[in-house]
Amino acid sequence: PQLYKQMALMADLDRVFEVAPVFRSENSLTHRHMTEFVGLDMEMTFFEHYHEVLDMLDRTFCAVFDGLNQSHQEELAAVRAQHPFRDLRYRYPCLRLRYDEAMALLRDKGPAKLAEKLDSETDERARARIRERLDARGPESLAEHADTEDMGTEDEKLLGEIVAELHGQDYYIIDKFPAAVRPFYTMPDPTDPRWSNSYDIFIRGEEVTSGAQRVHDPQMLLDCAKEKGVDLSPIYSYVDSFKYGAMPHAGGGIGLERVVMLFLGLPNIRKSSMFPRDPKRLNP
């Protein structure tokens, strides 16, 4: 759907959004993945900087949070009675970190947080995993996490704890992800090719939105795809849509059930869906 929304922008639709079911064929048996969920996606042109789009996403999230807190206290109390949770701490504009700043926080504060977890953890497998991440000479060493290295789920959660402790915020944005870990259609940073004009939005240390400025120059798009080994022949109409003049644009995708889970502090995404679907559940 993202590619079609981008093509719609090239037909003079300045802002396009979509609310639709998303089906993902992936064997992800985790607390935060489902094979069917509701996607809230948007693409939007901008005039000067892709942060115009990031600001729109930020304002939208805060408007949703404000609306829930102001108009749905009865429903929130009903959830809290079964699953007690701490109110989400957020502000507008929200806390923003560059990716390299976030990695520096992980390296600086992360080992001490892991050491605390090691002292309190009783499960031996979990303790062994923590030791791996604390081993300064090991491949999983948190202290040696490079600025341009991808951030895994464990890193995301640990960073969320650090941000909450240092800044008192549960909702924040990480900007300028490494170009190497983003798709071919992501716009590189114009001043440093190691980075890209891309971002993720986090709630309680878990990603709820991934987005970026998209490459809108057809030749650059072809070059980026070739560099990453992507064959564009099946979607060449997508490339063609940018050949007659294209506005710079950006967007992002949001998973509704994951936002609900994290806003309410639920332990599992399946509690945010009436009929959750995963690799082992199709009925009811």
Side-chain angles (χ1 to χ4, degrees):
Q2 174 198 314
L3 306 187
Y4 290 103
K5 286 192 287 291
Q6 289 183 253
M7 294 165 73
L9 295 183
M10 300 310 105
D12 284 342
L13 297 177
D14 294 335
R15 299 178 181 182
V16 180
F17 72 91
E18 176 187 17
V19 180
V22 179
F23 304 92
R24 299 191 67 161
S25 178
E26 59 181 358
N27 192 27
S28 295
L29 293 169
T30 76
H31 77 285
R32 65 177 189 171
H33 286 94
M34 293 195 294
T35 54
E36 179 183 347
F37 61 92
V38 177
L40 312 174
D41 303 336
M42 62 89 78
E43 296 290 323
M44 172 182 149
T45 60
F46 61 85
F47 291 100
E48 294 185 2
H49 200 281
Y50 73 96
H51 282 180
E52 296 168 35
V53 182
L54 198 50
D55 291 341
M56 174 65 75
L57 285 166
D58 191 5
R59 290 200 303 273
T60 300
F61 269 106
C62 288
V64 170
F65 300 154
D66 287 345
L68 289 170
N69 287 328
Q70 294 166 11
S71 303
H72 296 282
Q73 281 300 315
E74 186 176 342
E75 291 87 346
L76 294 177
V79 173
R80 205 186 305 266
Q82 296 185 58
H83 300 283
F85 67 93
R86 187 190 70 230
D87 287 343
L88 187 75
R89 296 173 295 178
Y90 66 96
R91 66 170 189 251
Y92 176 78
C94 77
L95 173 70
R96 296 188 189 184
L97 299 169
R98 284 179 52 99
Y99 191 88
D100 55 350
E101 294 173 334
M103 295 307 99
L105 268 182
L106 265 180
R107 289 192 300 268
D108 184 39
K109 305 292 185 181
K113 295 290 290 183
L114 285 180
E116 291 176 11
K117 292 177 183 290
L118 185 62
D119 290 339
S120 59
E121 182 60 64
T122 57
D123 182 79
E124 193 51 46
R125 289 180 63 184
R127 288 175 61 85
R129 176 59 183 156
I130 293 173
R131 290 193 194 98
E132 284 182 6
R133 302 179 72 201
L134 284 172
D135 183 359
R137 294 171 296 178
E140 302 288 330
S141 172
L142 186 65
E144 299 299 321
H145 197 295
D147 282 348
T148 55
E149 184 181 345
D150 199 7
M151 180 167 53
T153 301
E154 292 174 314
D155 295 332
E156 289 180 5
K157 290 182 177 180
L158 185 60
L159 180 63
E161 294 177 22
I162 295 169
V163 168
E165 188 174 286
L166 290 180
H167 300 280
Q169 296 293 300
D170 301 313
Y171 163 69
Y172 55 93
I173 292 171
I174 297 181
D175 191 18
K176 293 291 183 186
F177 272 69
V181 304
R182 292 306 229 195
F184 72 92
Y185 49 72
T186 304
M187 182 66 76
D189 183 285
T191 61
D192 189 338
R194 294 179 303 162
W195 309 106
S196 63
N197 291 355
S198 62
Y199 42 82
D200 279 2
I201 299 177
F202 294 83
I203 298 176
R204 303 191 200 270
E206 299 197 46
E207 173 253 313
V208 293
T209 300
S210 187
Q213 179 183 353
R214 320 301 188 184
V215 174
H216 60 278
D217 177 275
Q219 188 56 54
M220 181 186 290
L221 194 59
L222 291 170
D223 293 342
C224 290
K226 182 178 180 180
E227 182 179 332
K228 291 183 178 288
V230 178
D231 177 17
L232 292 185
S233 57
I235 54 169
Y236 210 80
S237 58
Y238 168 67
V239 182
D240 284 342
S241 69
F242 302 121
K243 288 184 176 180
Y244 299 97
M247 283 286 289
H249 59 284
I254 304 166
L256 176 60
E257 288 87 350
R258 191 178 293 185
V259 173
V260 172
M261 173 188 75
L262 294 168
F263 181 84
L264 297 175
L266 298 173
N268 195 297
I269 195 171
R270 292 157 186 80
K271 293 182 180 293
S272 67
S273 174
M274 183 173 289
F275 299 107
R277 296 287 181 261
D278 62 34
K280 293 189 175 181
R281 175 172 173 164
L282 291 176
N283 290 301

